[in-house]
Amino acid sequence: MADLPDKIHYNLLINSGGIMKKIFITAIMLLLPSFAIADSTWDDIWDQAVYGPAEVELLDQGIFYVPEGMVYLPPDAANDYSYFYLGNSADPYSAGMVLSEDEMQYWAAYLSFYEDGYISDKDAKKWNTNELLQSYKDGTAESNMERAEDGIGALEIVDWYEKPKYDSKEHTLTFGFEMLDYDVEEGEDPRPVINYNTYKLGRYGYFEMIFA
């Protein structure tokens, strides 16, 4: 444990590399607004926003560097934005959300922290990819029941877009899913979506970042 910091330092580098560009393009249709938001709620969300470049604390467990041109929403604001604007359920583990200031970039980076204790590099390298994929499929199926209650079409995880890779130097696990979004007009085919995930491990648990 000596090589792990007390707090996790997180850099969001989203414009370096073709893979991220592809993620933004394929995810564009997933994040179109689904609900109208009262002006007071909308104002409250953006009153809490932190504009980059800036450094923010993440639940006393990490430090996040917000790049120039990006906006960080703290947990409460992130959950309100996710629910009212995107139609997603609230995340009890939310550590915030990052968006672009450019209104033409329809993507979001969701941050969550899971206080699951220390995970060693040895254990991290042994993550069972089949079990991980199935756990996400199961979680998506559960969330689809909530989406159905709200009149929103289902999401389906099809397969890996990128199988899990662990970087022991950075204590980071990355992977991505190919997904289908069934929240479309009647008669339309489901939209293909790429969902990209990053786990950043620390002494007391791990941060998860999901690009969608």
Side-chain angles (χ1 to χ4, degrees), residues 90-182:
D91 176 9
Y93 304 102
S94 176
M97 173 188 287
V98 180
L99 305 164
S100 173
E101 287 190 61
D102 183 351
E103 294 181 357
M104 298 306 295
Q105 292 195 31
Y106 300 99
W107 59 267
Y110 302 85
L111 288 160
S112 303
F113 181 73
Y114 300 92
E115 197 169 354
D116 288 349
Y118 172 68
I119 301 174
S120 69
D121 285 340
K122 184 178 179 181
D123 290 336
K125 292 175 182 177
K126 290 181 179 179
W127 255 315
N128 185 301
T129 56
N130 291 331
E131 290 181 359
L132 186 62
L133 179 61
Q134 189 59 51
S135 70
Y136 271 87
K137 285 185 175 182
D138 293 342
T140 301
E142 288 185 20
S143 68
N144 280 337
M145 291 188 285
E146 295 182 16
R147 292 171 68 88
E149 290 176 359
D150 291 329
I152 306 171
L155 292 172
E156 177 189 357
I157 294 179
V158 179
D159 203 348
W160 293 113
Y161 173 76
E162 180 179 319
K163 287 191 174 182
K165 295 178 182 178
Y166 184 70
D167 183 334
S168 57
K169 181 178 179 181
E170 297 294 333
H171 309 292
T172 302
L173 177 73
T174 57
F175 54 92
F177 300 119
E178 295 178 4
M179 302 182 68
L180 292 174
D181 178 12
Y182 289 87

Side-chain angles (χ1 to χ4, degrees):
M1 291 179 57
D3 59 339
L4 287 175
D6 287 330
K7 289 188 177 180
I8 297 172
H9 290 244
Y10 226 145
N11 288 291
L12 175 59
L13 305 175
I14 64 166
N15 291 321
S16 56
I19 184 172
M20 286 302 182
K21 184 176 180 182
K22 184 173 183 181
I23 288 167
F24 297 155
I25 291 172
T26 53
I28 235 174
M29 297 302 293
L30 176 63
L31 297 177
L32 294 178
S34 300
F35 297 97
I37 309 178
D39 289 342
S40 58
T41 302
W42 186 251
D43 290 343
D44 184 55
I45 289 172
W46 293 107
D47 284 346
Q48 300 176 61
V50 178
Y51 292 82
E55 182 179 299
V56 295
E57 288 269 347
L58 299 179
L59 307 176
D60 295 325
Q61 293 291 336
I63 297 172
F64 189 87
Y65 301 102
V66 186
E68 185 175 358
M70 305 297 155
V71 184
Y72 169 80
L73 298 179
D76 288 344
N79 274 330
D80 284 344
Y81 182 93
S82 185
Y83 178 76
F84 289 109
Y85 191 65
L86 305 178
N88 298 325
S89 56
D91 176 9
Y93 304 102
S94 176
M97 173 188 287
V98 180
L99 305 164
S100 173
E101 287 190 61
D102 183 351
E103 294 181 357
M104 298 306 295
Q105 292 195 31
Y106 300 99
W107 59 267
Y110 302 85
L111 288 160
S112 303
F113 181 73
Y114 300 92
E115 197 169 354
D116 288 349
Y118 172 68
I119 301 174
S120 69
D121 285 340
K122 184 178 179 181
D123 290 336
K125 292 175 182 177
K126 290 181 179 179
W127 255 315
N128 185 301
T129 56
N130 291 331
E131 290 181 359
L132 186 62
L133 179 61
Q134 189 59 51
S135 70
Y136 271 87
K137 285 185 175 182
D138 293 342
T140 301
E142 288 185 20
S143 68
N144 280 337
M145 291 188 285
E146 295 182 16
R147 292 171 68 88
E149 290 176 359
D150 291 329
I152 306 171
L155 292 172
E156 177 189 357
I157 294 179
V158 179
D159 203 348
W160 293 113
Y161 173 76
E162 180 179 319
K163 287 191 174 182
K165 295 178 182 178
Y166 184 70
D167 183 334
S168 57
K169 181 178 179 181
E170 297 294 333
H171 309 292
T172 302
L173 177 73
T174 57
F175 54 92
F177 300 119
E178 295 178 4
M179 302 182 68
L180 292 174
D181 178 12
Y182 289 87
D183 190 31
V184 296
E185 297 295 330
E186 186 175 351
E188 291 185 356
D189 292 331
R191 290 186 289 257
V193 174
I194 300 297
N195 182 290
Y196 202 76
N197 299 254
T198 301
Y199 284 8
K200 188 80 169 179
L201 309 185
R203 287 180 180 271
Y204 309 109
Y206 65 90
F207 279 100
E208 177 186 43
M209 179 190 290
I210 300 176
F211 290 94

